[in-house]
Amino acid sequence: EEDIKNQPAASIDLLLQGRAAGLDISQSSGAPGGRTTVRIRGGSSVNAGNEPLLVIDGIPMYNGSKDPGSTTYSTSSATNALASINTNDIQSVEVLKDASASAIYGSRASNGVIIITTKRGQSGKAQTNYNAYYGTQSMSNKLDLMNGMEHAEFLNDWAASGNLPQPFANPTAIGAGTDWQEEIFRSAPIQDHQISVSGGNENTKYFISANYFNQEGISLASALDRYAIRTNIDQRVGNKIKISNSLTFNRILNNGVPIVNDPTGNMRSVADRAYTPSPTASVFDEAGNYVDNWYGITNPENPVAALVTSHNRLIGDNLLGNLAIDYEIIQGLTFKSMVGVNLYNRSTEEYYPASTTYLGGILGGVGFLANRRITNVLNENLISYNRTLGDLHVFDFTGGFTWQKETNFVSSMQASGFPDDRLGINAVGGATGVPLLRSDLSDWSIASFLGRLNYRFNDQLLLTASIRSDGSSKFAVGNKWGYFPS
């Protein structure tokens, strides 16, 4: 906790950069809430995934994108599912890299395991904590491009070489012109506010927190807002029963911008919009209206107007929680049963106006709506036994059965030919273009038996033996069970 607290990072994975040997974390996008790539000791598969297994408060998951998708022009970057989790709630992080440590998680641990534990209450007087930080982000470097006068002279020379009329009679009068990098990129604030209350006594312990995180992007129209609340409660009932609860709800609002160029050339990335427009053109005319600038030869579009008037928003809700009961059967012998849920509900809204974007102009406005629902349910039943024989021998055994199932449904619709830009995506019912419709449903389940024995002799010799048997719906017919010993 001391190593990672108060760090200005939107997600857990970014806090781990450079902190563990063999753990490589890189951002595939600089957008707020952008996807990251996590590798433990490099990639291990050509066809399957290479992401490590994440275990957050006992619930296994992967950091795959949970986005419902985007338009067929594929210009947006996938968001980071971990960006929805409040980093201020983390108590500790463990990275499991070797076979002995990860074998207990079976087939899903082939790329390593990252275990994340959140804070819990401690006995004592109630404590209230408030943490906040504020900072700014900006471009580290600007490209040295021609100003307005230089570009006008260049275009005059180009026209003269082809015996064409010169487009600018007096290049000097244009002066510096428009610096599109200054118009599109900005100094962007980032802030985080967290308040928590914790405390308890011998029977009841609690940790309650609320968080607000905001990161504006250095590009116009890009931003991430996250709202999060958490309750972790431990309740002891008598001398043998302990009930534990972890529950968190997060909402993210992510405003995106085009990150890459559309292969058809009909929509440009933010960078392309900042570097290719002519500095001889203006953002506004004398009446304060957007000027229809050219941008490339065939795609007339005012870069600032296109970014500001387009709508690209991802709304995501995530409920992650578990309820566990520990029962001490006899001294040293404990049974634990846990039920966990991980629920995602995400929606995407996109609209590119006919009046301000080149893509919208040729298609009469383009809109996209999509939704994704993910339901993940987990049940774990574990029994553990600890025994000390004399002063030299210590035994620790854990065995049990786990079951997990996930259902994933996504639907989307893309339309064109909208009646009015002012209504945007809300007028999708009046679109005249042929709509593109899509829906997908998938599910998987896994059942596992596991066992692990630790033996310690005289605090000098340690032996660990473990085995896990996974029965997965993802395995081939006739080979549904796999065995993973160490």
Side-chain angles (χ1 to χ4, degrees), residues 9-16 25 33-38 51-56 59 61-67 78-88 90 114 116 213 224 226 250 252 318 320 342 344 346:
S11 60
I12 298 169
D13 39 6
L14 295 179
L15 291 176
L16 300 179
I25 298 175
R35 181 83 183 274
T36 59
T37 299
V38 181
E51 291 286 328
L53 178 68
L54 299 171
V55 182
I56 301 179
I59 300 180
M61 66 182 71
Y62 289 99
N63 186 29
S65 176
K66 305 299 189 293
D67 295 355
T79 60
N80 187 357
L82 288 178
S84 65
I85 298 176
N86 177 18
T87 58
N88 295 290
I90 299 173
I114 298 178
I116 299 168
F213 175 84
L224 171 69
R226 180 184 66 218
N250 308 279
I252 62 168
N318 179 211
L320 177 67
N342 190 9
Y344 284 96
R346 295 200 167 199

Side-chain angles (χ1 to χ4, degrees), residues 42-286:
S44 59
S45 174
V46 176
N47 296 321
N50 286 292
E51 291 286 328
L53 178 68
L54 299 171
V55 182
I56 301 179
D57 284 338
I59 300 180
M61 66 182 71
Y62 289 99
N63 186 29
S65 176
K66 305 299 189 293
D67 295 355
S70 60
T71 65
T72 55
Y73 300 96
S74 302
T75 60
S76 299
S77 172
T79 60
N80 187 357
L82 288 178
S84 65
I85 298 176
N86 177 18
T87 58
N88 295 290
D89 288 340
I90 299 173
Q91 178 67 44
S92 65
V93 180
E94 298 173 72
V95 180
L96 310 185
K97 296 179 287 186
D98 60 76
S100 177
S102 60
I104 196 69
Y105 290 99
S107 58
R108 295 182 290 179
S110 59
N111 297 314
V113 182
I114 298 178
I115 301 176
I116 299 168
T117 304
T118 60
K119 298 175 183 177
R120 311 198 70 85
Q122 303 295 327
S123 297
K125 186 178 179 180
Q127 295 184 356
T128 301
N129 293 289
Y130 172 72
N131 295 310
Y133 63 76
Y134 181 90
T136 59
Q137 310 151 99
S138 60
M139 290 180 63
S140 57
N141 293 291
K142 284 178 55 180
L143 292 184
D144 185 13
L145 305 178
M146 287 185 284
N147 62 26
M149 182 187 72
E150 292 168 341
H151 195 226
E153 291 174 344
F154 168 81
L155 293 176
N156 282 345
D157 292 341
W158 172 81
S161 67
N163 295 319
L164 299 173
Q166 292 191 346
F168 298 96
N170 185 11
T172 305
I174 296 175
T178 302
D179 186 339
W180 291 104
Q181 295 179 82
E182 289 290 339
E183 297 292 339
I184 290 178
F185 297 119
R186 62 189 178 181
S187 178
I190 178 172
Q191 58 181 315
D192 185 89
H193 302 271
Q194 158 102 357
I195 187 169
S196 65
V197 179
S198 63
N201 51 43
E202 292 183 356
N203 294 322
T204 305
K205 300 180 179 66
Y206 59 88
F207 175 85
I208 302 172
S209 70
N211 171 255
Y212 170 68
F213 175 84
N214 167 260
Q215 181 182 8
E216 302 288 331
I218 64 171
S219 163
L220 288 177
S222 62
L224 171 69
D225 289 281
R226 180 184 66 218
Y227 306 85
I229 57 175
R230 171 178 292 279
T231 59
N232 288 351
I233 299 175
D234 298 309
Q235 177 67 52
R236 183 168 291 280
V237 181
N239 296 324
K240 292 183 174 293
I241 298 177
K242 177 185 175 183
I243 302 174
S244 302
N245 159 260
S246 296
L247 182 66
T248 180
F249 174 79
N250 308 279
R251 161 161 281 205
I252 62 168
L253 305 174
N254 195 324
N255 294 322
V257 294
I259 299 298
V260 295
N261 288 341
D262 164 37
T264 66
N266 293 328
M267 191 189 303
R268 305 295 182 91
S269 68
V270 168
D272 214 341
R273 286 169 168 166
Y275 302 143
T276 59
S278 172
T280 63
S282 302
V283 180
F284 300 100
D285 60 21
E286 294 180 355

